[in-house]
Each structure stands twice: as C-alpha cells, then as structure tokens.
C-alpha cells in the first residue's frame, strides 16, 4: 500500500467497521391473478431467495445482509471496528505495531489496538489485528487515526498513517416541560423522539433525581406494567411522552428559601436498542426548572376537600408563609364577591400579628357553597400594616360543589 508520499510499504493496513447485519427483504411487486400479468409476478416472488415461503407478499426477510457501507453512527452507541496489518511481502517483517487515536472536535482519545503491547514479527502472509470498542460521547466530526510502525529492509523504522473520517449524529430529540404545583411538587413531562433513520425500541427511560428531590414515575399502571405496553417501538420521527412527579426532600420542603433555590431536577437516562438489538445509551445534562416567584407572601390551602355539597359549610386551613426578608404585620380580609359561588363564615379584617421571615401561620377558614359545579376559591386578601399594601389571593385552588 502506498502512503501520501508514494512510498511502497511492506505491510498493508485495513480497517473495517463492525456492525450488526440487517434483514434483507424482497422487492414486492404483485397483482391479482385476474389481471393481465396473471401469476407471473407472484411466481417471480416465489422464486426470490429472499422471500419467505408461503408469505411471499409480506415484507419479511429470512436472510441477513452484511453491511455494504460505513453506515450511520449515533451518539450513545458503541463504535466498533477491526484494525489489521497484513504482511504482503515474501519475507518476514520485524517490529510491527499499530497505534490508533480518535480525534474529536475537543480532544484526542487514545484507543487500545494491540493485545500484544510490544512490537511483533509478521511472517509471510501473516496478519496482526485487533478489535476496537469505543462509546461515542460527542457529536460532530470524528477522525480515526491509525498509525503502523515496522522495521524496513534497511533496518530502520518506517511508519505510515491512515485517516478515517465519520460523522456522529444525534439519535433522539428530547423536549421537557415543567409544572410547579402549589403542593411544591414538580411535574416533568419528557418527550422522546426518534430522529434516526430506522426503528428503535426504548428499553429504559428513567429520571435520576437530584439530591433535593424524590422522584416517582407516572408511566406505570397500578400493577406495575408500562402504560406503553410490553415494547415501546418508535418508528423514525415518532415520539413518546413520559411523566414524572418530583417531591422535595423534607429538609427542602420545610424552608421556602431552599424550595425557591431548588432548580436542579435531575438527569434523564435513556437506553434503546436498534437493528438486531444494538444498544445505545444517552444521559441528558442536568435539567433545571424555572422556580416560581412567591413574592412577599405565599398562600396555600391545606385539608381542602375536593368536593363538597351545596349549602353545607366546609372547613380548611390557609397556610401563610413569609417569603420576604422582612417582618410582616398582617390583617386577613374575607370578601364575598357578587359573582362568587362561596360565602365566607367568620371574622373579616382579623389581625394576625407579626410574621417573621420564613415563618408559617395557619388560619382556619369556613365557607358555604352556593352553586353547583367546579368553582375557584376567591375573596381572600392579606394586608401588610407596615407597607399598607394589600395582597389578593384568588384562583389558587378549586372545589367541586354538588
């Protein structure tokens, strides 16, 4: 083999990518026997070696087709290739060694190529080879650099290199949405789309939560089976959506400042299999949510029933948290609006007293529902005596009245 300088070398370097074969399918062209061609096309399919006997008109093959090209390489897959050096001369070649590196856009990665760490001698027509495995972790252009060193006929070291360039493409498109609930739970919706050129099976899609949250998958039924069935098969451009619920750890949930600062949710870990079970794995970067803005005061409702009968009073607790950096002196106002379906029972303009930063106060409230249907809790206001500022809290929660 000749190198760039046109020098004849004593050995030849060959590199072959190792991939799974593919099922070859017959080209189906058929018609009804009443048509003009009659059974000519069907008989042709029966004579096709790639068709399945008795199922000639189905696109199902029974033969494996070896890779005819380098093929596509996707992020998260394992790149495998066979590197070999062959002695093409009529005499032994001394001190033969192979070195391989993988050059990416950001780094040069040395790859192990020889089981024999020291140079070896190649007899006539003998081959030195090894298999390289490397998990691809970067997108973009990759260059496999193979260098062969040997002892020339002049008893001096000679060497040459070959370069193999390939592109690593993105296999999946992952989109996420966050919803911050009033209960401090965070719901994550993850959409995973197959953007490869072939079908894949999603073997695992899990969320590794950060140390601030505990995660619960909402993608299984009560008996533990996947809502997507036994196999999650995605054809090219198809997508699947997953839902997770994250609950703050007790030490985080007890401090409103820590809740507001808890932005890191975790990482999605995705494992899939493509052609003939070839495995790939991706892990997203740290997912971050937009934390809610609580303002000076955060108000939530505890022990609020989901449904109540009309004209019968119901009780619940109003949880008031000082989310500011200063002390508050609060007055609770209850307003029964004209278009409201609730009438408040109790004392309005109730003085709650001072509330220090980060502290919590619980207030018992009672309301009477007037109209049936789903209605929002409205008419609650808090006034800060220090700043003479009023905060209205409407539509924080709803209750079904029957």
């Amino acid at each position: 083999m000749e190198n760039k300088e046109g020098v004849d070398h004593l050995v030849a370097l060959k590199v072959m990518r190792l991939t799974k074969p593919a099922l070859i399918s017959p080209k189906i062209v058929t018609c009804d026997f009443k048509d003009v061609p009659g059974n000519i096309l069907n008989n042709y399919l029966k004579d096709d070696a790639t068709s399945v006997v008795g199922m000639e008109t189905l696109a199902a093959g029974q033969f494996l087709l070896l890779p005819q090209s380098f093929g596509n390489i996707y992020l998260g897959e394992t790149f495998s290739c066979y590197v070999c050096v062959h002695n093409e001369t009529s005499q032994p070649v001394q001190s033969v060694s192979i070195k391989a590196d993988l050059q990416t856009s950001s780094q040069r990665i040395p790859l192990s190529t020889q089981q024999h760490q020291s140079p070896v001698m190649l007899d006539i027509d003998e081959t030195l080879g090894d298999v390289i495995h490397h998990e691809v972790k970067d997108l973009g252009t990759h260059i496999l650099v193979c260098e062969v060193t040997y002892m020339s006929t002049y008893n001096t070291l000679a060497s040459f290199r070959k370069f193999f360039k390939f592109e690593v493409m993105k296999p999946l498109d992952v989109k996420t949405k966050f919803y911050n609930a009033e209960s401090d739970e965070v719901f994550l919706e993850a959409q995973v789309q197959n953007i490869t050129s072939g079908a894949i099976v999603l073997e695992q899609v899990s969320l590794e939560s950060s140390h601030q949250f505990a995660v619960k998958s909402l993608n299984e039924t009560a008996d533990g089976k996947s809502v997507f069935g036994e196999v999650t098969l995605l054809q090219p451009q198809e997508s699947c959506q997953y839902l997770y619920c994250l609950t703050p750890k007790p030490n985080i949930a007890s401090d409103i400042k820590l809740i507001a600062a808890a932005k890191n949710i975790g990482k999605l870990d995705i494992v899939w299999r493509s052609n003939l079970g070839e495995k790939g794995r991706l892990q997203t970067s740290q997912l971050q949510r937009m934390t809610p803005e609580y303002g000076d005061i955060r108000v939530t409702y505890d022990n609020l029933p989901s449904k109540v009968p009309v004209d019968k009073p119901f009780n619940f607790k109003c949880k008031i948290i000082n989310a500011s950096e200063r002390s508050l002196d609060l007055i609770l106002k209850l307003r029964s609006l004209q278009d409201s379906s609730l009438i408040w029972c109790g004392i309005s303009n109730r003085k709650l007293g001072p509330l220090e930063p980060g502290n919590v106060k619980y207030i018992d409230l009672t309301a009477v529902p007037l109209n049936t249907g789903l209605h929002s809790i409205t008419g609650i206001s808090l006034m800060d005596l220090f700043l003479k500022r009023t905060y209205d809290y409407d539509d924080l929660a709803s209750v079904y009245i029957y």
Side-chain angles (χ1 to χ4, degrees):
M1 177 174 286
E2 291 186 354
N3 65 358
K4 293 181 179 179
E5 289 77 22
V7 178
D8 290 333
H9 290 283
L10 304 181
V11 292
L13 171 66
K14 295 183 179 181
V15 177
M16 179 178 67
R17 185 190 173 195
L18 303 178
T19 59
K20 296 289 182 68
L23 288 170
I24 183 172
S25 301
K27 293 183 179 180
I28 301 175
V29 180
T30 184
C31 65
D32 193 88
F33 71 94
K34 297 179 182 180
D35 293 335
V36 174
N39 286 321
I40 296 177
L41 297 177
N42 294 332
N43 292 334
Y44 176 78
L45 278 176
K46 291 180 181 180
D47 295 336
D48 192 335
T50 62
S51 64
V52 180
V53 178
M55 296 186 294
E56 291 84 3
T57 57
L58 299 179
Q62 60 179 344
F63 289 95
L64 294 177
L65 177 66
L66 294 177
Q68 302 297 301
S69 62
F70 191 80
N72 297 325
I73 300 180
Y74 294 100
L75 186 68
E77 292 183 339
T78 299
F79 170 70
S80 301
C81 67
Y82 176 66
V83 181
C84 69
V85 175
H86 180 67
N87 182 3
E88 296 185 331
T89 66
S90 57
Q91 58 186 359
V93 180
Q94 303 288 337
S95 302
V96 180
S97 64
I98 314 172
K99 178 184 177 183
D101 295 325
L102 188 61
Q103 179 69 53
T104 69
S105 59
S106 59
Q107 59 181 330
R108 191 181 185 97
I109 305 169
L111 303 176
S112 174
T113 57
Q114 264 183 281
Q115 298 176 354
H116 309 283
Q117 297 299 324
S118 57
V120 298
M121 183 190 72
L122 289 184
D123 285 330
I124 301 172
D125 207 31
E126 189 177 3
T127 299
L128 171 67
D130 197 8
V131 176
I132 296 174
H133 299 288
H134 176 71
E135 184 179 352
V136 181
K137 299 180 179 179
D138 296 296
L139 289 170
T141 304
H142 288 56
I143 302 175
L144 179 65
V145 184
C146 297
E147 182 178 5
V148 178
T149 304
Y150 64 95
M151 191 68 68
S152 69
T153 54
Y154 302 102
N155 207 26
T156 58
L157 284 178
S159 65
F160 64 92
R161 292 192 298 177
K162 291 190 70 175
F163 302 88
F164 303 89
K165 183 178 179 180
F166 59 92
E167 294 288 331
V168 176
M169 296 178 292
K170 186 178 179 182
L172 303 171
D173 185 27
V174 181
K175 298 178 181 178
T176 57
K177 294 181 181 178
F178 292 98
Y179 172 72
N180 298 309
E182 286 294 330
S183 61
D184 292 331
E185 292 177 324
V186 180
F187 291 90
L188 168 64
E189 177 188 346
Q191 176 180 287
V192 181
Q193 183 181 24
N194 174 19
I195 56 176
T196 69
S197 59
I200 64 171
V201 173
L202 293 178
E203 193 172 86
Q204 172 189 311
V205 180
S206 60
L207 178 63
E208 298 179 3
S209 63
S210 66
H211 67 279
Q212 299 168 316
F213 291 91
V215 63
K216 178 183 178 182
S217 174
L218 303 180
N219 307 297
E220 292 81 26
T221 59
D223 54 359
K225 296 182 179 179
S226 173
V227 297
F228 306 108
E230 295 183 0
V231 178
T232 308
L233 175 65
L234 293 183
Q235 296 292 341
Q237 302 305 316
E238 287 186 348
S239 60
C240 196
Q241 290 174 300
Y242 294 83
L243 186 63
Y244 302 92
C245 176
L246 296 108
T247 305
K249 296 289 183 65
N251 63 314
I252 303 294
S254 60
D255 192 329
I256 190 171
K257 294 182 180 178
L258 294 179
I259 293 177
K263 296 183 179 181
N264 291 337
I265 295 298
K267 301 178 180 180
L268 279 172
D269 191 23
I270 306 172
V271 179
W272 74 92
R273 292 188 182 273
S274 55
N275 180 40
L276 292 183
E278 195 160 356
K279 189 174 182 180
R281 179 179 179 179
L282 276 183
Q283 190 176 68
T284 65
S285 56
Q286 185 69 244
L287 301 176
Q288 291 189 331
R289 64 162 180 160
M290 293 291 293
T291 55
E293 292 290 339
Y294 297 124
D296 292 338
I297 306 171
R298 186 188 181 193
V299 174
T300 58
Y301 302 137
D302 290 352
N303 303 327
L304 180 67
S306 59
K307 59 181 181 178
V308 295
V310 69
D311 294 334
K312 289 189 178 181
F314 65 95
N315 303 316
F316 64 96
K317 290 184 179 294
C318 178
K319 181 180 179 182
I320 304 172
I321 308 173
N322 183 356
S324 68
E325 300 293 335
R326 58 184 178 82
S327 298
L328 301 174
D329 192 7
L330 301 176
I331 290 179
L332 174 65
K333 294 183 177 183
L334 300 176
R335 299 169 289 115
S336 297
L337 305 178
Q338 291 183 355
D339 57 347
S340 175
S341 297
L342 298 174
I343 292 180
W344 293 106
C345 299
I347 302 174
S348 184
N349 294 326
R350 188 194 316 178
K351 188 174 177 59
L352 304 181
L355 187 62
E356 299 300 322
N359 285 3
V360 180
K361 188 180 289 292
Y362 290 92
I363 304 298
D364 293 321
L365 296 178
T366 303
V368 178
L370 300 179
N371 303 314
T372 58
L374 183 64
H375 298 283
S376 299
I377 305 295
T378 60
I380 296 180
S381 298
L382 292 171
M383 180 178 179
D384 180 15
L385 293 177
F386 289 146
L387 297 181
K388 304 301 181 182
R389 181 184 297 174
T390 301
Y391 305 86
D392 295 329
Y393 296 94
D394 296 327
D395 302 326
L396 290 182
S398 298
V399 62
Y400 178 72
I401 304 172
Y402 63 96

